[in-house]
Amino acid sequence: MSYRSVVLIASLLVAAIFAAVGALSLKQLDDQLDLQFEQEAVRLESVYRAALGELEQQAISLAFGLASDAELRRLTAQGTQARQAGDLQVAEAAHTQLLRKMQSQWIELYRHNDLRQLQVLTTPDLRSLLRMHAPDDQGDSLMELRPLLRAVQADRIPRSGFEIGRAYAGVRGAVPVTHPDAEGNPLHVGTLEVGIGMSDLIDRLSHRLDIGIAVLLRAEAVTDAMWESYRPNSAPSKRNQCCYLLTATGPQAAEWLEAGELKPTAGKQATPLLEWKGRTYHLIRFGFHDYLGSLDSNRPPIGSVVIWKDVTHLLLAHENERWELIRTALSGLAFVLALVLILSKLSRREWRRQLETQTEALQKLSRHNKLLLETAGDGIYGVDRNGHATFINRSALQMLGYRADEVVGHDQHQLFHHSHRDGSPYPNALCPVQQTLADGKRRVCEDWFIRDTGEHFPVSMTVAPINEHDHREGAVVVFRDITDYRRRQDELIRLATTDPLTGAGNRRHFLSALESELARLRRNGHPASLLMADLDHFKNVNDRYGHAAGDAVLKHFVAIARNTLRQTDLIGRLGGEEFAMLLPGDDIKGATETAERLRGALENSAAEFGTLRISVTVSIGITELQHTDENTDAPLQRADEALYAAKTGGRNRVSTPLPRLDDKAAATPGQR
């Protein structure tokens, strides 16, 4: 074979090798970009769903706070009873009073909590008694339209979720409204529902993650449920528009709908790239379920969430890298063909250079992904199909207290998820991560993790499966510590039941406890007593030392009372210097002994205010709860009369009610 033929064959062989290597490198580069887009889509969807879960919990908390108001419960009971009796005039009066009462709270919650809906419905047909967001629309039944409300009406269990109603579409929280019946037992009289807009939620995510977000609703779902005057403004007026635009963080979503770029979808779809006005956007779109869809994954989504990110610069850099790779390959081929005599050496050097370039690109992508993982505020870790951790980020390690080498390669359930909060074993089969590995379903829930110290802490977690080529390879878990969130809930309850100055129970809380104790007395006959206490000459303390000193005296009295009373006893501040104490299980004799101890303890202990020591005394009236007490007014009046007797008898003393005239008349002659 001639030298020319050898050179030609060698050149063709080299050219074929370079072409194959170049094509493989370009494909690998494109695959890396596709993988980056896919991982970003999973991350953003997980973050969105976790934030939506927090919003649903917030809706239930707000509904609980509003439904605990005694006046609201009374008016709801009045409206329900009037409607059941067919008395529309009384029902309208209840609506008017309820509207007047809730007006200021509605305005405040609308401003600071993005509350967009507040309504009260009567039982048993879920007929609207009050819509704060549409006060003129009332009297219609939501029984057929609103599954979430039907569920709360049926079992009285609070619920939250997204639903489209007649006047509002958004995240809702619904709780039962109860009011005591004649025997003091809680009676279900209605349902209270709040709705929180999604605009603030997506705005926060948009600013934090530098993305755009839009929520779309299927046209038929909106038109079937919502009154026309309340539907979103962006109606699908053209044939190429797929749905209503509920809310968005930028104008792009409305423009894409108008142009027909967003097609109807029944669920999750591929994450495409969209060219628009000289920019390229990465679109992530997934199904958006309402309350029923959250219970049944087979139901079609009620709409979809669209997340987009401008990737113009990323794609430009990628394209430049492709052309750089092509130019490099061509230069190498030309160089090799020109210097065929040193083909082997130069080919090996060029291959090494290309390999280093690709390795650097892979390392760069790996560093980028690691940076995203390590800077995330939420804890993130992955597991393989056997439940063993494959990676974990810094936030997760800080929350759990472990080192990475103590987690990676170990069974995550056995390491920090092995027992319930009470110490009982947590079966592996009930672990949400193991369940997702078994059935491939995504889960959002609240649970408890265990730190390396053995301390349990509450978490909100999202578990998503990792599938490759229709095979489940593992799962990724995103979680956050919700200790502060639960502490804020407990603090809200404390603020709603406590006098802010003294720390004693407030008037509403005390009267509610007294009402419950009367109900228990009627059921089981156990004794209970009521003490009414008033500080003697308290006005003189304020006049002589000032109101700040008076406050110190009130707090001192509550501290003395708490040291004297049992843990089961309750002290409440009814107003000013007047306090009441409820003593379950004590008859009049035991209550008198307790009152005398309290009176003596206060008499012998001065309140300290700066350098001053202020001595005060207390007068106490006592009464025992009776089976004939129809409500709290009767025992309060008897205790108040006894207190008056203690005051008029010289103060600093304990007194019981004087016998009434009718009581004496009913006594036998030997008893008078």
Side-chain angles (χ1 to χ4, degrees):
M1 186 179 296
S2 64
Y3 176 75
R4 181 173 296 180
S5 298
V6 172
V7 173
L8 179 59
I9 293 174
S11 299
L12 292 175
L13 181 59
V14 169
I17 292 174
F18 267 82
V21 170
L24 180 62
S25 299
L26 290 175
K27 183 179 184 305
Q28 187 176 28
L29 198 61
D30 292 340
D31 289 345
Q32 292 169 4
L33 183 64
D34 292 341
L35 178 61
Q36 181 179 347
F37 284 152
E38 183 178 347
Q39 291 174 340
E40 181 73 355
V42 171
R43 184 182 75 90
L44 292 178
E45 181 181 352
S46 298
V47 171
Y48 171 82
R49 293 193 185 277
L52 184 61
E54 290 184 1
L55 189 64
E56 292 177 354
Q57 290 299 318
Q58 180 186 352
I60 287 185
S61 297
L62 281 175
F64 262 126
L66 293 170
S68 65
D69 185 85
E71 180 67 7
L72 182 143
R73 291 184 291 167
R74 184 188 70 78
L75 291 173
T76 303
Q78 178 181 326
T80 293
Q81 293 167 0
R83 282 189 172 163
Q84 291 175 350
D87 192 340
L88 298 182
Q89 185 175 0
V90 173
E92 179 62 29
H95 164 264
T96 302
Q97 295 178 51
L98 198 55
L99 176 63
R100 186 181 304 115
K101 168 180 175 52
M102 300 301 296
Q103 190 66 40
S104 60
Q105 286 182 285
W106 166 252
I107 295 173
E108 187 70 14
L109 291 171
Y110 184 88
R111 290 175 179 171
H112 299 292
N113 294 81
D114 196 26
L115 200 67
R116 292 295 179 267
Q117 180 212 22
L118 169 58
Q119 66 176 338
V120 179
L121 305 105
T122 59
T123 61
D125 55 356
L126 292 174
R127 196 166 296 278
S128 173
L129 178 63
L130 173 68
R131 280 189 178 95
M132 291 304 299
H133 54 290
D136 295 333
D137 297 325
Q138 61 157 316
D140 56 306
S141 174
L142 302 183
M143 181 65 76
E144 297 300 326
L145 179 65
R146 298 291 310 287
L148 186 146
L149 293 176
R150 285 203 307 273
V152 176
Q153 168 70 23
D155 57 18
R156 306 181 191 176
I157 297 176
R159 287 176 171 82
S160 64
F162 183 94
E163 273 195 348
I164 298 176
R166 290 175 173 168
Y168 169 78
V171 173
R172 304 165 182 268
V175 299
V177 178
T178 61
H179 189 266
D181 59 13
E183 297 181 353
N185 297 315
L187 179 66
H188 184 205
V189 297
T191 302
L192 183 142
E193 182 185 54
V194 300
I196 301 178
M198 301 184 68
S199 298
D200 281 359
L201 169 69
I202 65 174
D203 284 343
R204 288 196 304 270
L205 292 177
S206 176
H207 286 98
R208 191 178 78 186
L209 302 174
D210 190 25
I211 57 176
I213 310 178
V215 180
L216 309 179
L217 300 178
R218 290 192 295 115
E220 56 270 25
V222 173
T223 55
D224 289 345
M226 186 172 282
W227 285 329
E228 184 173 358
S229 58
Y230 291 99
R231 295 172 188 170
N233 294 328
S234 56
S237 58
K238 296 185 178 181
R239 182 172 296 180
N240 60 346
Q241 287 183 236
C242 68
C243 37
Y244 283 84
L245 176 62
L246 179 63
T247 184
T249 59
Q252 293 92 334
E255 295 173 357
W256 294 336
L257 279 173
E258 181 73 18
E261 295 290 347
L262 298 178
K263 306 296 183 184
T265 177
K268 188 168 182 177
Q269 65 176 35
T271 56
L273 296 177
L274 175 63
E275 296 284 346
W276 187 258
K277 293 184 178 180
R279 310 296 296 177
T280 303
Y281 296 91
H282 177 210
L283 267 62
I284 305 163
R285 191 173 181 188
F286 49 89
F288 180 67
H289 289 84
D290 60 0
Y291 166 72
L292 287 180
S294 67
L295 302 179
D296 182 3
S297 60
N298 294 322
R299 287 180 63 88
I302 199 170
S304 60
V305 176
V306 180
I307 299 177
W308 65 89
K309 189 169 187 177
D310 189 342
V311 293
T312 305
H313 294 298
L314 177 64
L315 291 179
L316 181 60
H318 176 73
E319 189 64 22
N320 291 337
E321 196 169 355
R322 283 175 55 87
W323 279 110
E324 177 65 24
L325 190 59
I326 293 172
R327 285 193 295 269
T328 300
L330 291 176
S331 299
L333 177 60
F335 183 72
V336 170
L337 292 177
L339 303 173
V340 69
L341 295 178
I342 54 173
L343 178 63
S344 176
K345 182 178 179 180
L346 293 181
S347 296
R348 187 167 55 251
R349 183 181 300 172
E350 181 63 18
W351 176 256
R352 184 180 296 114
R353 191 189 68 79
Q354 292 188 32
L355 184 60
E356 291 173 353
T357 300
Q358 296 174 33
T359 301
E360 177 61 26
L362 287 172
Q363 291 174 348
K364 180 179 179 181
L365 179 60
S366 176
R367 289 193 299 269
H368 178 70
N369 290 338
K370 184 177 180 181
L371 179 63
L372 289 176
L373 189 67
E374 292 299 324
T375 56
D378 292 343
I380 304 174
Y381 68 91
V383 297
D384 59 19
R385 66 184 67 185
N386 297 317
H388 293 158
T390 55
F391 67 87
I392 186 167
N393 72 344
R394 185 178 305 168
S395 295
L397 292 173
Q398 289 175 347
M399 283 185 272
L400 294 170
Y402 289 101
R403 300 190 311 271
D405 62 322
E406 295 175 322
V407 177
V408 176
H410 297 273
D411 187 328
Q412 56 88 33
H413 182 76
Q414 297 301 322
L415 188 62
F416 52 80
H417 200 215
H418 50 74
S419 65
H420 294 290
R421 189 186 182 191
D422 60 2
S424 60
Y426 197 148
N428 196 64
L430 300 181
C431 173
V433 179
Q434 296 297 332
Q435 291 176 341
T436 294
L437 290 173
D439 59 23
K441 294 182 179 179
R442 181 181 173 278
R443 285 174 169 79
V444 179
C445 60
E446 291 186 5
D447 211 331
W448 293 81
F449 280 175
I450 308 168
R451 306 188 202 277
D452 65 330
T453 59
E455 173 194 1
H456 287 70
F457 65 101
V459 296
S460 172
M461 61 187 298
T462 300
V463 187
I466 299 176
N467 298 318
E468 293 183 8
H469 308 296
D470 297 328
H471 293 287
R472 200 153 37 253
E473 297 297 330
V476 62
V477 181
V478 181
F479 71 93
R480 64 175 53 188
D481 187 343
I482 58 173
T483 302
D484 290 340
Y485 168 73
R486 290 198 171 181
R487 187 179 297 117
R488 287 194 297 271
Q489 284 186 315
D490 294 340
E491 180 65 12
L492 287 174
I493 296 174
R494 187 190 69 80
L495 291 175
T497 59
T498 304
D499 171 46
L501 173 63
T502 64
N506 59 23
R507 183 182 184 90
R508 182 178 65 183
H509 177 59
F510 184 84
L511 293 181
S512 177
L514 179 57
E515 197 172 76
S516 299
E517 190 61 33
L518 282 172
R520 282 193 291 272
L521 174 65
R522 298 186 194 103
R523 288 196 303 270
N524 54 40
H526 292 169
S529 295
L530 174 66
L531 276 59
M532 189 79 75
D534 189 273
L535 298 183
D536 300 328
H537 302 297
F538 182 73
K539 183 176 181 300
N540 295 341
V541 175
N542 282 334
D543 293 343
R544 182 177 180 182
Y545 301 108
H547 288 282
D551 292 345
V553 170
L554 294 176
K555 290 189 279 189
H556 176 68
F557 171 73
V558 171
I560 293 293
R562 284 210 169 109
N563 288 333
T564 305
L565 300 176
R566 302 164 301 185
Q567 286 188 348
T568 56
D569 301 332
L570 175 65
I571 179 171
R573 184 184 181 191
L574 302 187
E577 68 274 20
E578 187 176 39
F579 295 83
M581 284 149 277
L582 181 61
L583 281 58
D586 275 3
D587 57 13
I588 196 71
K589 179 181 178 181
T592 302
E593 294 173 354
T594 300
E596 284 292 350
R597 287 200 304 273
L598 173 59
R599 184 200 61 76
L602 182 65
E603 182 182 23
N604 296 318
S605 176
E608 296 183 359
F609 179 69
T611 58
L612 298 175
R613 291 179 57 81
I614 305 172
S615 296
V616 294
T617 59
V618 63
S619 297
I620 304 175
I622 309 173
T623 184
E624 187 173 353
L625 304 189
Q626 305 294 333
H627 287 86
T628 56
D629 291 337
E630 296 182 356
N631 52 44
T632 59
D633 293 340
L636 286 173
Q637 182 177 353
R638 293 197 303 273
D640 196 55
E641 291 172 355
L643 174 61
Y644 179 75
K647 288 286 189 180
T648 58
R651 295 183 172 83
N652 190 23
R653 62 187 61 223
V654 175
S655 178
T656 56
L658 294 174
R660 298 176 179 268
L661 292 178
D662 53 354
D663 295 337
K664 294 180 179 179
T668 63
Q671 294 174 323
R672 292 183 180 176

